[in-house]
Amino acid sequence: MPGIVELTNVVKDYPLGKLSVRALHDINITIGEGEFTAIAGPSGSGKTTILNMIGCMDVPTQGTVSIAGTITNNLGDRALTDLRLNRIGFIFQTFNLINVLDVYQNVEFPLLLQGKLSGAERKARVNAMVEKVGLTKQIGQRPNELSGGQRQRVAIARALVTNPAIVLADEPTANLDSKTGHAIIDLMSDLNRNDKITFIFSTHDPKVMECATRLVKVEDGRVVG
Amino acid sequence: MIAGLMLMLRLAIRNVRTHMVKNSVIGVILVFGTFVLVTGATLIGSLDKVMRKSITTSITADLQAYDADARDPLSLLGDMNFGGSDNGEIPDYSAVQDTLAKVPEVRTTLPFGLGNATVFGANEVDRSLEDLRAAVKAGDQARQTMLVGRLQRIAGDIRPQLDLSGTITADQEKLTEDRASLDRVISADFPAQFAADPVATMDWMDGAVAPLATDGRLNYFRLLGTDIPAFESNFPRMQIVHGTTVPPGERGIIINESSYELMIKHPIARELDLIEKEIASGTEIGTSGTLFDRVQRMSRQYRRVLYQLDTEEVGALEPKLRAELKDDKSDMVGLLKAFLAVSDDNFSERKAFFYSDIAPYIRLYDISVGDTLPLRAFTKSGYLKSVNVKVYGVYHYSGVAKDDAAAGAYSLVDMLTFRDIYGKMTASQQAELSGIKASVGAKDLGASGGSIEDELFGGGGSIESTVASTEALTGLDSVTFGRAEEREITTFTQDEVDHGVATSTAIFLKNPEQAEVGKTAVEKALGDAGLKLTVVGWKQASGFVGQAAMVIQLVLFIAVLVLFLVAIVIINIALVLATLERTSEIGTMRALGAQARFVTWMFVVESQFVGLVSACIGATFSGLFVNWLHTVGIPAGNDFLSVLFGGKAMYPEQSIPSMILGIVIVQVVSLLATIYPAWLAADVPPVVALQGKE
Ligand SMILES: Nc1ncnc2c1ncn2[C@@H]1O[C@H](COP(=O)(O)OP(=O)(O)OP(=O)(O)O)[C@@H](O)[C@H]1O
Ligand SMILES: [Mg+2]
C-alpha cells in the first residue's frame, strides 16, 4: 500500500545571493495513513523544509513529492493552494491565529474558504470541533485573551475542521511550557488514535519524540534513521 | 462566494476596528477630501446655475451666433479688448431670423449690434454760453446780465490757473493771447461790450475762452443696438429706472445705470457716493492714505460746483454753508473747499447736506432723460460719424448694484442708430445709393471709394466725415450735445429693424436647460442654410466673465486633484505599512488555503469599506454645510461676484449627483491607493507562516 506522503530523492536548494544552499540532500520518506510521525533533529537540520514540501507550500528542486496520490512538483500556486485547503491541516509553532477573529471564527475560517458547507453544517462542525479541543467556554474570545495552550488548541481545531488527509505541525510545543506542551501532544495523540488522523510533526524535544509511533531523524538535510 | 465576501467584510470590519489609528488617519483624509469635493462640486454646480440664469437673462440669451470668420471671439461681458473686438458681421439679420424661426428648439431671436461711441460733455463756459444764447434769443435781459456775471466769475477763477500753467508751457505767444482774452472778460466794461454786440461776443468767447475751461468730460458709451421692445420682453431682469423705454419704431437710447452713475453723474456727487461705499466697506478717511487723498482731490474740485452757481444761488447757499460749517469769515471758494474736505466724523452729514442743499442748484447728471445726444463713433470704413439720438431712459438689471461697472455696461440703441454708427446702410438707403450711382455713373463714384456712402448718409457735422484718426477726435473742438445740430428723428418699421447688418444674433431656446441640444439644432439649420456663423453658449458668449467661471472651476478641480493625489500617496503608504505588519497573518491565510486573489480582494474590500464610510461621513458633512449656506447665503462681497451670483448673495442648492459623484470618486481614489499594497500582499508566500514570530 503506497504511503499518503511519499518523498522520493528530494533535494531542496535555497538561493543565497549568487550561490545556493542545499537544505535537503536526497531525502526519501514514506508515511502511511494514520501514522503519528515525529520528524526530529537539531536546529537547522531541515525539519521545517521537509514540512514545507509535505505541506505543499514549496516544491522540491529535485525528486518528487506525492501527497495523497498527487505529485506536487509541477503544480502552480493555485493548485498547491487548493491542495493545502482541502488535504492538509496546519499547526504552527507560533499558533498563527487571526487576531481580529474570535475562536469560533478562527476555526470557521478554512470552511469559509472552502465554501462547501451550508451555514448550519458549518456551525455544527465548528462547534463540535471547538468542543473536542475543550474550548466551548472560550468560543467568543479573541486569541489575545487566551493562554498559549488554549491558542494551540484553537489551531488544532482549525487544522482538523476540514477533515484533512494529513495534519502538519511544526514544533507545536516549542512555544509552550513542558506541561502544556505535553497536554497538546496528548490531545494530538488522542485524535490520532480515536479519529485515525495522520499527524506529522517536527520537534527537537526528546520527550515529545517518545509519543510518536514513527520517528524520522534528520541531520544536515539527510535522513539518519 | 457570498460566504467569502461576508468573510472579507467581517475581516475588514474587524481590521478597521483593530487598527483604529491607521484607519482614522486614512478616514480623516478621505472625509476631508469628500467634503471638499462634494462641497466644491455642489457650489460650482450652483454657481453655474445662478450664473447661467443671471447672464442668459441679462445679456447673452441661451445662445449667440456670430460671424464664423470673426477676428475676435464674441465677449459680451468683460471684453478683453475693451470694446475694440472685431466680431465680424452678419450682413443680413433677417436671413438668420428666418432660418432659425423654423428650428423647433428655438423660441425667438434678436439682432445684436455692438458698437462704441463718445459724447463730449460740456464745460461750464460752454454751458453758460449756451444758456446765454437762449436768453439773447428770448430777449431776457435780467438773465443775460446774470449769465454774463457768471462767465466773468468763471474767467476770474481761470486767470490765476493760467498764470500757474504759464511757468511750464512753452508756447508763450498763445499764453499771452489767452491772458488777454480772460482779462477782457474780467474787465469791468465787458458787460457793456457784450450788450453792444451779443452774438459776435459770444462767437468770440466760443473760440477764445471756452477752450480754456478744461472740465468738459469725454463720455464713453458701449452701445448695444437691438430691437429694444423685444429686448425688454426677452430679458426680464432688465428694468427701466428713469424715463421710459424707446417706443417701437422710434430712434433712441436707454442708458445703462452704471454708466449713468459712474460717467454722467456730477463728479462731486459721484465721488461722495464712492467715498461712502469705501467707508461702508470699513475704510476710514483718517487712517487710509488713499481715501484721504481722494477727499483732498475732491475738495480741490470745488469749481465743479462753483461754476454752476448763479449769483442768486450763491446768495442762497452761502448762509446755509456758513451755518453748517460755523464759519463767518471765508468767501464762497473757501467755504466750498472746507465743506468738501470731509472727515469720518462729518461725512454722512455733509453728504446729506450736499444732496439736500447743493444738488438742487447744480446739474446732478450731465445728461438727462429727454436730451438729445450727439453720439460720435468711427464707422467700419474709418470715418467719424455723429448721430443724434434721444435719451429715453435709464435701465439696470435687477439684483445688480446700480453703480456696478462689471455688469457689461451697455447702453441700448435701436438697430437703425446702430447701423448708422456701424456705417452700413439700410436696404432702402442702398437702393437710393444705387439709384444715384446709376444716374451719376458708377465709374466716377468708384474713384472716390467708400467715402461716398458717408458723404451721402453721414448726417451730423460736415467736419467729421473727413477725420480718420483717434488723435484727430480728441483734437476736435468740442461740440456740445445741447448745441448739436438737431437731426430729424426718423421712425422706422419692424422690417427695417430686421433687414440689415448685425454683429450677432441672440437666440432664446424653448428649453434653456437643453442648451447643447439647441445648439446642435441651430448649428445644423444655419449650416444647411449656408450661413457661416459660430454658435456659442453663454459661457463663451459672455467672454471674460464666463471664462472667469471656468477658471474658478479649474482651480477647484486642481485643488481637489492635488488633495486626492496626496490622499492616494498617504493611504498607499499606510496600507503598505499595514501589509508589512500583517505579513505573518497573510502568510497564515495563504498556508491555510486562501488563494492570492482572496488576499487581494480582502485588501480591496477593506479599503473600499473605509472609503465608503469616510465618503458617506464627508458627504453628510458637506450636505449639512451646504444646507447651512443655503439658509445664510454666500455674500457676493464685491461687484464682480454679484454679477456672477446675479445678486447680493448666492444660495447654493443641495445636489445629490454631486454627492454620488463625490462618493464614487473617493471609492476610485481608495481603489487606486490599494493597488500596490494589495499586489504586495498577494505576493506574500505561505511559508512565512512557518517562519516563527507572531
Ligand atoms: N528560505 C530560506 N532561504 C535560505 N536558506 C534557508 C531557507 N529556509 C531554510 N534555509 C536553510 O535551510 C536549512 C534548513 O532549515 P530549516 O528551517 O528547515 O531547519 P530546521 O530543522 O527547521 O531548524 P529549526 O529547528 O531551527 O527550525 C538551514 O541551513 C537554513 O538556514
Ligand atoms: Mg524549523
Side-chain angles (χ1 to χ4, degrees):
Chain A
M1 175 189 136
I4 191 152
V5 173
E6 284 181 26
L7 275 65
T8 318
N9 304 326
V10 166
V11 170
K12 180 68 187 176
D13 293 336
Y14 284 117
L16 194 79
K18 281 180 186 167
L19 304 168
S20 67
V21 182
R22 183 150 293 190
L24 299 178
H25 304 262
D26 197 31
I27 298 273
N28 288 288
I29 303 172
T30 303
I31 294 167
E33 211 173 335
E35 282 189 304
F36 194 62
T37 311
I39 297 177
S43 187
S45 55
K47 305 183 292 290
T48 300
T49 307
I50 291 171
L51 287 180
N52 279 345
M53 300 295 143
I54 300 171
C56 300
M57 298 206 253
D58 213 342
V59 288
T61 313
Q62 288 170 34
T64 54
V65 174
S66 161
I67 304 299
T70 310
I71 292 171
T72 65
N73 293 51
N74 298 318
L75 296 182
D77 179 65
R78 280 199 186 196
L80 288 173
T81 305
D82 272 338
L83 260 181
R84 290 198 296 272
L85 178 61
N86 297 312
R87 296 292 188 176
I88 299 161
F90 286 96
I91 298 163
F92 307 96
Q93 178 181 340
T94 47
F95 321 133
N96 294 29
L97 298 179
I98 296 167
N99 286 321
V100 297
L101 301 180
D102 63 21
V103 169
Y104 180 92
Q105 289 161 345
N106 263 287
V107 176
E108 190 189 26
F109 186 82
L111 292 180
L112 288 172
L113 288 179
Q114 282 185 331
K116 289 182 199 158
L117 300 182
S118 73
E121 288 173 307
R122 210 164 55 221
K123 196 171 175 195
R125 179 88 69 87
V126 172
N127 283 330
M129 220 47 242
V130 171
E131 198 186 336
K132 206 168 250 180
V133 298
L135 286 174
T136 306
K137 264 197 196 161
Q138 289 79 13
I139 198 154
Q141 291 178 6
R142 297 267 204 113
N144 56 8
E145 298 161 345
L146 301 175
S147 71
Q150 287 171 324
R151 287 186 212 187
Q152 202 58 307
R153 283 164 191 271
V154 177
I156 291 167
R158 180 176 68 182
L160 296 176
V161 78
T162 54
N163 288 334
I166 320 151
V167 175
L168 300 177
D170 192 19
E171 310 211 28
T173 61
N175 274 16
L176 301 171
D177 61 79
S178 61
K179 201 177 152 215
T180 317
H182 266 284
I184 290 296
I185 293 295
D186 286 345
L187 174 63
M188 285 164 56
S189 179
D190 286 348
L191 288 163
N192 169 257
R193 240 176 295 125
N194 302 334
D195 301 342
K196 304 282 173 275
I197 292 164
T198 310
F199 276 96
I200 304 171
F201 59 96
S202 69
T203 183
H204 51 249
D205 181 344
K207 279 187 185 164
V208 173
M209 289 175 219
E210 283 169 17
C211 305
T213 57
R214 160 105 190 267
L215 188 65
V216 178
K217 280 193 173 174
V218 280
E219 243 169 67
D220 287 335
R222 290 185 175 84
V223 178
V224 293
Chain B
M1 191 57 221
I2 306 252
L5 200 71
M6 289 305 294
L7 173 64
M8 285 184 221
L9 207 61
R10 185 194 289 163
L11 281 168
I13 296 168
R14 294 288 174 129
N15 264 313
V16 170
R17 272 173 44 183
T18 313
H19 304 282
M20 223 28 183
V21 176
K22 180 201 84 182
N23 285 299
S24 305
V25 171
I26 296 175
V28 166
I29 293 168
L30 290 179
V31 166
F32 182 67
T34 318
F35 178 83
V36 172
L37 181 65
V38 174
T39 309
T42 305
L43 292 187
I44 283 180
S46 290
L47 182 65
D48 210 70
K49 221 166 161 180
V50 261
M51 270 181 69
R52 195 193 70 203
K53 188 118 202 300
S54 154
I55 290 174
T56 57
T57 59
S58 345
I59 186 81
T60 62
D62 298 316
L63 300 171
Q64 287 274 334
Y66 66 103
D67 194 346
D69 298 326
R71 185 170 56 99
D72 301 309
L74 187 67
S75 48
L76 293 170
L77 285 176
D79 181 356
M80 285 303 195
N81 294 323
F82 298 101
S85 286
D86 180 354
N87 305 127
E89 66 178 42
I90 298 173
D92 184 12
Y93 164 71
S94 64
V96 179
Q97 187 186 32
D98 295 346
T99 305
L100 296 184
K102 292 182 206 108
V103 177
E105 286 84 354
V106 172
R107 181 165 61 77
T108 187
T109 59
L110 274 183
F112 269 21
L114 295 184
N116 300 300
T118 50
V119 174
F120 282 111
N123 68 38
E124 294 312 325
V125 175
D126 287 325
R127 208 164 260 154
S128 301
L129 279 170
E130 183 189 313
D131 291 350
L132 192 53
R133 276 178 205 279
V136 168
K137 217 172 187 175
D140 185 341
Q141 209 58 51
R143 190 159 167 75
Q144 286 177 39
T145 312
M146 193 267 291
L147 287 165
V148 169
R150 189 204 280 185
L151 283 164
Q152 283 190 293
R153 266 192 301 112
I154 295 172
D157 201 79
I158 298 170
R159 184 65 171 76
Q161 295 174 57
L162 205 63
D163 284 336
L164 212 63
S165 65
T167 56
I168 49 165
T169 181
D171 192 351
Q172 290 300 324
E173 199 176 313
K174 180 163 188 310
L175 190 67
T176 318
E177 196 181 305
D178 289 346
R179 279 193 187 128
S181 301
L182 288 174
D183 287 341
R184 179 181 164 197
V185 177
I186 298 162
S187 69
D189 66 335
F190 181 72
Q193 287 179 36
F194 173 79
D197 189 349
V199 176
T201 313
M202 286 189 294
D203 286 350
W204 169 77
M205 282 186 82
D206 265 341
V209 182
L212 302 179
T214 51
D215 65 339
R217 282 185 290 163
L218 186 67
N219 293 319
Y220 175 84
F221 286 90
R222 293 208 64 198
L223 297 180
L224 175 60
T226 189
D227 181 343
I228 294 178
F231 185 94
E232 227 189 325
S233 56
N234 283 298
F235 289 106
R237 290 186 59 225
M238 176 205 160
Q239 292 170 344
I240 301 284
V241 283
H242 303 301
T244 61
T245 185
V246 180
E250 300 270 342
R251 281 173 177 260
I253 183 168
I254 39 180
I255 299 172
N256 183 288
E257 193 179 27
S258 73
S259 308
Y260 201 60
E261 290 295 319
L262 289 173
M263 301 194 315
I264 295 164
K265 198 169 189 178
H266 191 282
I268 301 284
R270 183 191 57 199
E271 272 307 298
L272 287 170
D273 292 348
L274 293 176
I275 291 168
E276 183 179 49
K277 211 172 168 185
E278 290 279 318
I279 289 175
S281 72
T283 320
E284 285 181 353
I285 301 170
T287 53
S288 158
T290 49
L291 194 56
F292 181 78
D293 290 348
R294 191 160 197 168
V295 169
Q296 295 301 302
R297 262 200 313 281
M298 180 176 73
S299 162
R300 285 198 294 275
Q301 293 191 357
Y302 68 93
R303 288 187 187 85
R304 293 194 185 275
V305 173
L306 187 65
Y307 288 1
Q308 288 193 14
L309 300 175
D310 295 337
T311 321
E312 282 165 33
E313 289 166 351
V314 170
L317 189 55
E318 211 178 293
K320 285 191 201 167
L321 270 176
R322 278 198 201 292
E324 174 71 20
L325 298 168
K326 298 180 183 60
D327 175 345
D328 40 37
K329 287 192 278 294
S330 311
D331 61 357
M332 195 59 187
V333 169
L335 286 171
L336 278 175
K337 272 185 173 169
F339 175 79
L340 292 174
V342 294
S343 69
D344 292 306
D345 299 332
N346 62 25
F347 179 80
S348 39
E349 201 186 318
R350 294 272 169 97
K351 186 184 174 236
F353 183 91
F354 178 86
Y355 277 103
S356 65
D357 293 279
I358 299 179
Y361 299 132
I362 61 175
R363 257 174 188 261
L364 203 50
Y365 292 92
D366 240 9
I367 296 167
S368 317
V369 169
D371 282 348
T372 296
L373 286 187
L375 295 177
R376 293 142 77 74
F378 286 99
T379 63
K380 280 286 142 185
S381 35
Y383 293 89
L384 185 66
K385 185 145 181 181
S386 178
V387 177
N388 289 343
V389 58
K390 186 177 168 191
V391 179
Y392 274 92
V394 175
Y395 82 98
H396 77 175
Y397 289 114
S398 61
V400 175
K402 71 174 186 173
D403 53 354
D404 191 340
Y410 288 104
S411 292
L412 303 182
V413 293
D414 62 276
M415 258 344 248
L416 273 78
T417 300
F418 158 72
R419 285 177 195 140
D420 275 350
I421 288 168
Y422 188 80
K424 287 282 165 140
M425 294 160 292
T426 60
S428 62
Q429 284 173 328
Q430 211 134 25
E432 198 180 329
L433 176 66
S434 36
I436 296 166
K437 273 184 183 167
S439 64
V440 178
K443 242 182 191 167
D444 296 346
L445 279 166
S448 57
S451 69
I452 184 77
E453 278 102 322
D454 291 284
E455 273 163 27
L456 286 169
F457 303 105
S462 58
I463 26 158
E464 285 133 354
S465 53
T466 51
V467 182
S469 77
T470 335
E471 288 98 76
L473 171 70
T474 49
L476 280 174
D477 289 351
S478 54
V479 178
T480 69
F481 49 83
R483 258 172 48 225
E485 203 178 313
E486 284 293 316
R487 194 189 149 105
E488 202 183 337
I489 306 259
T490 54
T491 55
F492 50 82
T493 62
Q494 188 62 37
D495 212 44
E496 284 178 278
V497 173
D498 297 338
H499 286 81
V501 71
T503 57
S504 68
T505 300
I507 302 163
F508 292 90
L509 298 173
K510 284 186 186 136
N511 183 0
E513 307 288 327
Q514 297 278 309
E516 277 308 310
V517 177
K519 187 175 170 227
T520 313
V522 165
E523 274 167 345
K524 187 175 180 305
L526 291 173
D528 291 350
L531 293 163
K532 283 179 40 188
L533 300 180
T534 301
V535 182
V536 291
W538 68 270
K539 257 185 209 164
Q540 278 164 284
S542 58
F544 171 65
V545 171
Q547 274 143 27
M550 286 191 257
V551 168
I552 294 175
Q553 295 188 1
L554 194 73
V555 166
L556 204 113
F557 175 76
I558 290 171
V560 167
L561 199 74
V562 168
L563 194 76
F564 279 120
L565 281 179
V566 171
I568 287 177
V569 171
I570 295 178
I571 295 169
N572 188 62
I573 292 170
L575 287 178
V576 168
L577 290 177
T579 311
L580 296 178
E581 227 169 72
R582 286 164 69 182
T583 305
S584 161
E585 179 192 309
I586 295 161
T588 304
M589 289 180 179
R590 296 282 283 121
L592 294 179
Q595 293 287 0
R597 62 164 189 271
F598 174 89
V599 175
T600 306
W601 277 107
M602 185 175 77
F603 267 67
V604 170
V605 167
E606 198 172 311
S607 82
Q608 291 291 288
F609 174 75
V610 174
L612 189 65
V613 170
S614 308
C616 288
I617 295 173
T620 308
F621 279 155
S622 168
L624 293 173
F625 181 63
V626 169
N627 207 42
W628 176 74
L629 287 178
H630 180 77
T631 48
V632 299
I634 304 168
N638 62 42
D639 292 349
F640 177 67
L641 281 179
S642 77
V643 174
L644 299 195
F645 291 1
K648 299 227 177 304
M650 182 173 92
Y651 300 91
E653 296 286 340
Q654 209 69 258
S655 154
I656 300 294
S658 295
M659 286 196 176
I660 293 170
L661 180 82
I663 292 170
V664 168
I665 289 180
V666 169
Q667 294 307 99
V668 172
V669 163
S670 11
L671 189 65
L672 289 177
T674 315
I675 291 175
Y676 178 66
W679 174 80
L680 214 59
D683 224 33
V684 170
V687 287
V688 301
L690 277 74
Q691 282 164 359
K693 250 199 331 162
E694 193 169 0

